[in-house]
Amino acid sequence: MYWLIEEEHQLEVLLNSGFKEAFIEVIPSNHNVHPAINSVSLVYIRPLQARKGYLLCVTHSETLSVLKTRVDTLISKFDVLYCRDKKETLHYYPLKTLIDINIPPNTYIQPLTRSHEILYYKNKDKQNINEVVPVVKHYEMCENYFEHQKQFINKNLTKYEQFFNNKVSVVFNAIEQSGLRIHVPRFEEYFHPVDGERVYSQYNLKTLTTRPSNKFKGVNYAALNKENGCRKSFIPTNDILYEIDISAYHPSLSCRLIDYNFPTSDIHNHLAKLYGVSYAKSKELTFKQLYGGVFKQYEYLEYFKKIKEYIHNMWLNFYNGEDIVCPISNFVFKKDNYENMNPQKLFNYLLQNLETSMNVRILWDIIKILRGKKTKLILYTYDSFLFDYCEDEKKVMEDVTNVFNKYKFNIKIKQGYDYDFR
């Protein structure tokens, strides 16, 4: 059978093929549109038992089209669908059969054909650009994806790969789907023109440290300026925006690594007294030492003494070829995978992985609570969780707050009619 599937009788052959496992790549109509609101142009399916892949045409200028519902039926018949980005693919096909094979530290940079590069460059503002890129070039690109990724297919998943597939991809996909309502004139003043009153953030889960970044169309949603007024652009769909911040998050997490407990819940205030500085200066000093190394004048403090000892012992094990396994996620730092590693950087990476995996646990619990509710979780940024809150659902927010209590974190709450909270 020919690789291009554009008629019902061709699709019927695949439906009756009995193939159970395949690699899938979704080609949206426009790669610059967020997948939460994008449409499907083509779907590449490469059954593992087949000698070639097939391109299913939903809508493209060069081809006939098969009904999307029939394509959906075919895709749902597979027992396992391997993909390059499960979080993104879930926007188009929310299936439990998806398995992401492009997982840190072996992340794969997506190559484009020369035709894609030229057409994308010359048609930056063209709607549905992928519907005019030659279909044969889409096929060539997808075949290349499969050839580069097939080594990771059909192997036993590690504990981290299971965690990434079953939890990480799912929770960040759920947050992306919510979107954020905006005050359009104000948003366009600070960022870029928009069509409609809702924007969508996009998490990059395939980072070196495994800590997700969040950026879409040039807007860094993980680091919105707190001083210039841009946060006023984000407003609630329901009644108010409600933010929960975890207090002294990194010191709290590090305590779990070194088996240490501060004598008070207000860690920064406690350390401020020991340093003999202000509260704000205390936060700065603690952060610098966690991520830059313990200062000599504070080595005598038991907390920092234990931090330094933990880093030293972990580095010895890593340097001697022992794998460093992260708590919760079971991500493994292997010496052969990292160049120019040093003791402090290794500790930083491990702490960021612990932060992310702990947050995934928290997010998982919160998303279950919010299922079917008006209140939505619309943004997550490391130690901060932003909700679009319906005030009729007070019990819901009490349940959400109890999630943080369950994991024994102290929290601070802000609320207001925009994200500036001032």
Side-chain angles (χ1 to χ4, degrees):
M1 187 171 64
Y2 193 52
W3 58 266
L4 189 64
I5 308 298
E6 55 181 335
E7 297 185 41
E8 175 65 25
H9 72 88
Q10 296 172 309
L11 187 64
E12 197 67 30
V13 173
L14 274 181
L15 279 164
N16 296 320
S17 66
F19 292 135
K20 294 299 182 183
E21 297 186 351
F23 174 81
I24 183 172
E25 178 75 22
V26 178
I27 300 171
S29 294
N30 190 327
H31 60 286
N32 286 322
V33 174
H34 194 281
I37 53 172
N38 214 336
S39 57
V40 176
S41 173
L42 304 159
V43 180
Y44 173 81
I45 287 286
R46 175 65 184 261
L48 301 192
Q49 303 91 338
R51 295 182 179 178
K52 62 175 178 287
Y54 300 93
L55 205 56
L56 314 176
C57 303
V58 177
T59 176
H60 194 279
S61 61
E62 295 180 346
T63 71
L64 301 173
S65 298
V66 291
L67 288 173
K68 185 177 182 300
T69 53
R70 296 290 283 159
V71 174
D72 296 350
T73 300
L74 170 64
I75 291 171
S76 67
K77 288 178 72 73
F78 287 93
D79 293 338
V80 181
L81 286 166
Y82 298 98
C83 62
R84 192 174 46 83
D85 189 333
K86 178 173 178 175
K87 175 181 65 65
E88 182 170 333
T89 308
L90 281 169
H91 285 294
Y92 303 107
Y93 297 102
L95 299 169
K96 293 181 179 179
T97 49
L98 291 169
I99 296 179
D100 197 318
I101 56 174
N102 185 30
I103 295 176
N106 301 311
T107 50
Y108 170 66
I109 305 299
Q110 172 182 330
L112 299 172
T113 68
R114 183 62 177 157
S115 296
H116 281 85
E117 291 174 349
I118 292 171
L119 285 166
Y120 285 172
Y121 179 77
K122 290 184 176 180
N123 300 276
K124 293 178 181 178
D125 299 320
K126 184 174 180 60
Q127 295 296 316
N128 305 333
I129 178 62
N130 281 330
E131 295 177 18
V132 297
V133 173
V135 71
V136 69
K137 289 300 176 181
H138 285 312
Y139 182 73
E140 177 187 334
M141 181 178 67
C142 291
E143 286 279 278
N144 287 336
Y145 289 168
F146 177 77
E147 287 302 315
H148 285 104
Q149 293 282 276
K150 65 182 180 182
Q151 61 180 309
F152 302 115
I153 288 175
N154 221 2
K155 67 182 185 67
N156 292 328
L157 297 180
T158 65
K159 288 183 179 180
Y160 175 69
E161 288 167 341
Q162 292 176 41
F163 180 75
F164 187 93
N165 271 285
N166 298 336
K167 292 287 200 301
V168 179
S169 297
V170 175
V171 299
F172 287 106
N173 171 268
I175 300 171
E176 288 183 2
Q177 287 185 42
S178 296
L180 300 96
R181 188 183 175 208
I182 56 170
H183 180 277
V184 175
R186 192 173 291 134
F187 182 90
E188 291 185 335
E189 176 188 349
Y190 286 101
F191 300 112
H192 58 74
V194 291
D195 182 14
E197 61 171 23
R198 189 165 293 275
V199 294
Y200 295 83
S201 67
Q202 190 169 50
Y203 291 91
N204 175 19
L205 308 180
K206 314 292 178 75
T207 64
L208 185 63
T209 65
T210 70
R211 190 191 206 198
S213 57
N214 187 349
K215 187 176 182 179
F216 191 70
K217 284 193 171 181
V219 182
N220 186 349
Y221 290 92
L224 293 169
N225 193 302
K226 294 182 179 180
E227 306 300 330
N228 69 355
C230 72
R231 292 188 172 217
K232 287 185 176 293
S233 306
F234 303 95
I235 57 177
T237 300
N238 292 306
D239 298 307
I240 60 171
L241 293 183
Y242 191 101
E243 184 180 61
I244 297 177
D245 287 329
I246 300 178
S247 301
Y249 197 17
H250 287 188
S252 297
L253 289 173
S254 65
C255 284
R256 301 181 188 204
L257 292 174
I258 63 175
D259 192 24
Y260 177 81
N261 292 310
F262 281 97
T264 173
S265 60
D266 193 339
I267 294 174
H268 288 308
N269 188 53
H270 174 73
L271 287 172
K273 292 176 182 176
L274 296 177
Y275 296 143
V277 299
S278 68
Y279 188 91
K281 185 64 176 179
S282 171
K283 290 177 67 174
E284 179 187 335
L285 281 172
T286 302
F287 186 83
K288 283 181 176 179
Q289 292 181 87
L290 275 179
Y291 280 95
V294 177
F295 298 165
K296 275 195 171 298
Q297 63 264 43
Y298 301 122
E299 286 179 343
Y300 72 93
L301 297 175
E302 185 180 0
Y303 168 67
F304 287 116
K305 189 187 298 182
K306 286 198 166 194
I307 289 287
K308 191 170 182 179
E309 182 181 355
Y310 182 89
I311 293 172
H312 174 75
N313 291 335
M314 180 176 61
W315 176 251
L316 280 180
N317 293 336
F318 181 80
Y319 186 80
N320 290 322
E322 184 177 322
D323 293 346
I324 305 301
V325 181
C326 298
I328 302 176
S329 70
N330 286 290
F331 183 83
V332 178
F333 290 103
K334 293 178 178 289
K335 186 178 179 182
D336 292 345
N337 292 336
Y338 296 90
E339 296 180 4
N340 304 317
M341 186 58 80
N342 61 57
Q344 194 62 48
K345 185 191 290 188
L346 180 61
F347 178 70
N348 296 350
Y349 282 16
L350 183 138
L351 193 55
Q352 289 183 41
N353 182 276
L354 178 58
E355 172 201 74
T356 301
S357 53
M358 177 58 74
N359 284 338
V360 167
R361 277 187 173 177
I362 293 169
L363 291 166
W364 182 268
D365 290 352
I366 289 173
I367 287 166
K368 284 198 296 183
I369 292 168
L370 297 182
R371 192 173 294 145
K373 302 297 190 296
K374 292 181 180 179
T375 298
K376 301 296 180 186
L377 175 62
I378 58 174
L379 190 64
Y380 145 81
T381 51
Y382 311 133
D383 62 354
S384 175
F385 302 74
L386 182 65
F387 299 84
D388 189 331
Y389 175 43
C390 174
E391 291 182 325
D392 291 337
E393 298 179 335
K394 290 183 179 178
K395 177 62 168 61
V396 169
M397 197 50 69
E398 288 174 8
D399 291 342
V400 167
T401 302
N402 284 334
V403 171
F404 296 91
N405 295 333
K406 169 185 170 182
Y407 293 108
K408 299 180 180 177
F409 290 116
N410 297 308
I411 59 173
K412 294 178 292 187
I413 294 172
K414 298 176 188 174
Q415 50 187 303
Y417 297 107
D418 60 55
Y419 192 26
D420 199 35
F421 297 126
R422 287 189 292 186

